[in-house]
Amino acid sequence: MSESLATEHTATYHETDDTLSRQIVRGVLNSKEATFWLTVGLIILSIALLAPWIAPQDPYDLMVLDIMDSRMPPGTKNFDESLTYWLGTDGQGRDMLSAIMYGLRTSISVGVMAGVIALILGMILGLTGSYFGGWVDALIMRTVDLMLGFPTILVALILLSVLGQGVDKVIMALVAVQWANYARVVRSAALVEREKEYIEAATCLGLGHWRILFKHLLPNCLPPVIVIGTVQVAHAISAEATLSFLGLGVPITEPSLGLLIANGYQLLLSGMYWISFFPGVVLLLTIFSINIVGDRIREILNPRLLQEGEN
Amino acid sequence: MPDSEPTLKVEKLHTSFFTKAGIVKAVNDVSFSVKRGEILGLVGESGSGKSITAFSILNLIDPPGRITSGKILFNGRDLVGSSEKEMQQLRGNKIAMIFQDPMMTLNPVLRIDTQMIETIQAHEKVSHRVAYERARDGLGRVGISSPEERLKAYPHQFSGGMRQRVAIAISFLLKPDLVLADEPTTALDVTIQGQILYEVQKLCRETGTAMVWITHDLAVVGGLADRVCVMYAGRIVEEGGVDEVIDTPMHPYTHGLIGSVPSQNRRGQVLYQIPGMTPSLLSLPKGCTFRPRCTQKTEQCLEVPQTLRTSSGRMMSCYNPFNQGL
Amino acid sequence: MTVFIVRRLMQSVLVVLVVSMILFAGIFAIGNPVDILLPPDATQEDREEAIQALGLDKPLLIQYGLFLANAVRGDLGTSFVHNVPSMQLILHRMNATLELALLALIFAVFIGIPLGMLSGAHPNTLLDRTLMTGSIFGFSIPNFWQGLMLIMVFSVFLRWLPSTGRGETGTILGIETSLATWDGIQHMIMPALNLSLYKISMVMRLTRASMRETLPMDFVKFARAKGLTGRRIIFVHVLKNIMLPIITVIGMELGSLIAFGVVTETIFAWPGMGKLLIDSINVLDRPVIVAWLMIVVLLFISINLLVDIIYSVLDPRIRLSDVKS
């Protein structure tokens, strides 16, 4: 009896899992606005991925930079007219368009990496807490409360001042501030799911803890995780830019969009807007497109559990 | 205004909800009238369109719903198509409504006095002092002791029965010509229910207010109403004096309803049950909407039955009624 | 009520203790301040002398104990760099930060709530969709870049508003504030707007959600059935119901406004405590960082406590249940 019950549920969640992704895709494509911004987001992503091949210049190659070309307004051509600086150049004579493409690479990879690691860590801790309960749960959740009680930017700032600069350090700091969001959402979703009969049945069958956790509880926590996942990745990209702007993020050797903007800060005051303006526009478009699509997914899935997890 | 003219006369009212799933005909060709001082019971299962009828009268149907056709004559004046401003002046003033769940109808964060006084001041230019005194007297009339103190309280400090008394007091504050009561006792204990019925009946008799009492409980109607309309799936299927309808129901639905009231049966006898379920208003059966559940159905019932008026002043719409001799 | 406050106070003290421990251990790991304080050509003796003078030779636990004991007496250490008590340094700049945070909060309330109500009262209309997309825009725009753009447009191109500094200050009720002079107000507009945009979006969405939740309630329909005007229903019946959760959330956000002040103050060179934190991190002024964080944690916790108390005073339902318990 209990065996058939368990297998039956194994079947159903695979089914719902499948329709979940289809449901999201259909829901997003149903909205013109979301479809448009999804396209924008995908274009931005492709640019970031293809930057080394499509950028007019390698902004890291100091040999191609000419200091004579520094601070050129948008549309200026270089001395032998072989290259047009469509978005102008920065203080080192770097083509802004190329710098933005490479910066986008750094920004998106930091954001996505931080998001994915935070998601995995948060999910493991959230599931563990909900499954084992007791002091394990209490410890995890009190830590989560403490983490969420303080603004992310402040915690990340302090962590980075301890850790020092570097792409890996930024990712660590972002993971440290974001895992708690996932842990909380996963835990509350898992708690609801845990009460259901099939988990009991699986326990009765003598399935191992981890098997129950990952094969049975996890798939059912996905909808709220997907929703906060989009928001959190957007948040991570924005936070990385902020930290880099404050001089605590990525090193100058791998400039992200935030650092590009910071480099143009002083020049902005003397009217050279393009160095800060264009990277910011790209940053905004990236975050905005993720948020719009995320908002649409939230409408589609509308998980009740999200309310407390939203930040 | 001639005395014989009814306070409220609803004629061929249609209210529909235009949803994505289709058009829901919540109120379908409903006609009835209520005279001064009369209590009309509007009986039916949940989803039969009773509440929508009441909200239609107040023009409080929210989109996607709207009144599609028909007339609502209040003191001879058609309310359908009245402006929002005109309706607002009537609501709470000439036509008042009592809601089903007293726990939900009073605003939880406003004191009782605020909620009473604002009603008076919305319709009459009186001083706060005068309005306050009228609110206090109003509470007294529905049997609330020490009204002065009670006025200062918040709704959550009252029991359900007390809150419903407050809601009734608010409804009668401006001596309306018509009160629409939407199952006001359903959410209450039986003992409280009796008290509330008594208060309402007394108020109606005293003020000459006409009343439409909506309920699914025939027993309540039996003790309270003068006349009764039975609604099924958006239509009125039977109408008549309360005693006649209960004693000699004609429409098979009314018959079934009365059969399923426990007090009408003898002990040990199996309670009657109407077979089947209320149809979805989205896909009503063809012809008589009660046909699929009816014990008396014939081929003829595939056509919508006409409303028939019997010699004894009753109305019903059925081809094969019970107690046809009347 | 008293029981409630005492319990909350005890929880708060515990949180402060835990945070202070984590902070102390964490900050202890930041570089060696001696390296920064002494010139590179300092001798080994100089170094040891400095380490002893700063108490850095004692075990971590003892250092923490001393720190706590001093903290209770209001002494959060002396700045390595400025050589004045950190507490004094921070409190001196707190005014500027608080006035900025408060003005931003006022913007959030007076712009966010009306827009959210407008949106919630007309769901799924063009207006609603525009406002909601606008709020996502507000969420998405990176705070620091938005500040730069404000400077670019209003200071560099239009030359309407000054880009940096606090401007001339005056005193109102004995408090030094930029709001007292026209010059100060001009200096404040952009930073406050910069700080509040995110909160405006948040308050908008929150208000809209509360409206959508409250409008279908029976008491709203009953209010309509009483013949009240639409205005009275929205501004008295609905608003009074949705204000409580909104006030709570906004109150809690005051803390995060102080935190985000770090970014805003850096951009606009606003002489508040946020800028002090960034400066201190850059020169590893350990006592100031610790003191700063301790003060902000205390601020956070007191704000949350205060909001909880205000909430329970405002909500008649909670008030009663507390009297009973």
Side-chain angles (χ1 to χ4, degrees), chain B residues 88 91 98 120 158 219 231-232 275 300 306 312:
Chain B
Q88 188 192 310
R91 286 180 208 137
I98 309 168
I120 301 173
F158 286 60
M231 268 188 101
Y232 183 77
Q300 218 179 349
Q306 291 299 304
S312 53

Side-chain angles (χ1 to χ4, degrees), chain C residues 16-59:
Chain C
V16 172
L17 264 179
V18 170
V19 171
S20 74
M21 244 184 273
I22 297 171
L23 268 181
F24 197 81
I27 300 302
F28 193 79
I30 303 182
N32 189 347
V34 178
D35 295 338
I36 293 158
L37 287 175
L38 296 178
D41 56 343
T43 61
Q44 192 59 31
E45 276 120 71
D46 287 341
R47 291 180 61 86
E48 257 151 45
E49 209 173 298
I51 287 173
Q52 244 172 24
L54 295 171
L56 296 174
D57 53 341
K58 299 190 183 79

Side-chain angles (χ1 to χ4, degrees), chain C:
Chain C
M1 192 70 188
T2 332
V3 178
F4 166 75
I5 293 176
V6 168
R7 201 170 48 214
R8 280 301 319 260
L9 265 176
M10 275 161 56
Q11 281 173 0
S12 307
V13 169
L14 198 69
V15 174
V16 172
L17 264 179
V18 170
V19 171
S20 74
M21 244 184 273
I22 297 171
L23 268 181
F24 197 81
I27 300 302
F28 193 79
I30 303 182
N32 189 347
V34 178
D35 295 338
I36 293 158
L37 287 175
L38 296 178
D41 56 343
T43 61
Q44 192 59 31
E45 276 120 71
D46 287 341
R47 291 180 61 86
E48 257 151 45
E49 209 173 298
I51 287 173
Q52 244 172 24
L54 295 171
L56 296 174
D57 53 341
K58 299 190 183 79
L60 182 57
L61 214 62
I62 303 278
Q63 284 192 43
Y64 176 65
L66 284 173
F67 164 77
L68 259 196
N70 287 331
V72 173
R73 278 183 279 127
D75 174 12
L76 286 167
T78 304
S79 161
F80 293 157
V81 179
H82 304 271
N83 212 15
V84 283
S86 333
M87 187 86 141
Q88 192 188 321
L89 208 59
I90 294 166
L91 291 182
H92 184 66
R93 287 160 166 253
M94 205 184 222
N95 248 352
T97 296
L98 284 182
E99 73 175 349
L100 199 58
L102 278 176
L103 189 63
L105 204 62
I106 289 170
F107 281 175
V109 170
F110 286 94
I111 301 174
I113 293 182
L115 288 182
M117 287 178 72
L118 207 60
S119 206
H122 304 96
N124 302 321
T125 56
L126 184 66
L127 176 78
D128 173 40
R129 280 199 300 271
T130 312
L131 284 173
M132 281 304 107
T133 307
S135 76
I136 296 180
F137 188 81
F139 275 128
S140 303
I141 187 163
N143 200 251
F144 69 96
W145 185 69
Q146 177 237 336
L148 292 189
M149 291 304 108
L150 285 178
I151 291 179
M152 183 179 100
V153 174
F154 294 104
S155 301
V156 178
F157 292 155
L158 297 173
R159 297 182 185 282
W160 285 357
L161 295 167
S163 65
T164 53
R166 201 180 170 191
E168 207 177 302
T169 56
T171 46
I172 297 176
L173 302 170
I175 301 164
E176 192 196 7
T177 167
S178 293
L179 286 171
T181 67
W182 174 232
D183 181 56
I185 291 173
Q186 279 184 314
H187 276 84
M188 248 183 122
I189 294 176
M190 281 202 298
L193 208 62
N194 172 244
L195 197 52
S196 64
L197 188 73
Y198 191 88
K199 300 298 166 206
I200 292 176
S201 309
M202 197 197 71
V203 171
M204 253 172 81
R205 290 185 85 86
L206 184 69
T207 309
R208 179 184 186 271
S210 310
M211 285 280 286
R212 303 284 299 126
E213 209 170 280
T214 310
L215 281 178
M217 302 259 242
D218 263 7
F219 71 78
V220 175
K221 210 154 197 184
F222 187 61
R224 287 167 73 192
K226 290 199 300 188
L228 303 184
T229 57
R231 193 181 302 170
R232 183 163 174 98
I233 294 171
I234 296 286
F235 290 103
V236 177
H237 284 253
V238 176
L239 191 61
K240 212 159 176 195
N241 268 277
I242 65 175
M243 274 318 269
L244 276 168
I246 293 175
I247 284 181
T248 317
V249 174
I250 291 176
M252 303 277 185
E253 290 300 321
L254 185 60
S256 93
L257 279 176
I258 294 171
F260 260 100
V262 172
V263 179
T264 302
E265 289 174 13
T266 307
I267 298 166
F268 293 93
W270 189 263
M273 47 194 283
K275 196 158 175 344
L276 178 70
L277 178 71
I278 295 291
D279 294 344
S280 303
I281 287 177
N282 284 332
V283 297
L284 288 185
D285 197 347
R286 200 192 282 175
V288 177
I289 302 175
V290 174
W292 195 99
L293 290 172
M294 286 308 297
I295 289 177
V296 168
V297 167
L298 274 176
L299 259 174
F300 260 52
I301 287 169
S302 350
I303 290 168
N304 287 3
L305 187 65
L306 209 68
V307 169
D308 270 4
I309 294 171
I310 292 174
Y311 188 100
S312 63
V313 169
L314 281 182
D315 192 334
R317 287 160 291 188
I318 292 190
R319 220 183 310 161
L320 185 87
S321 58
D322 265 317
V323 171
K324 271 182 187 159
S325 62

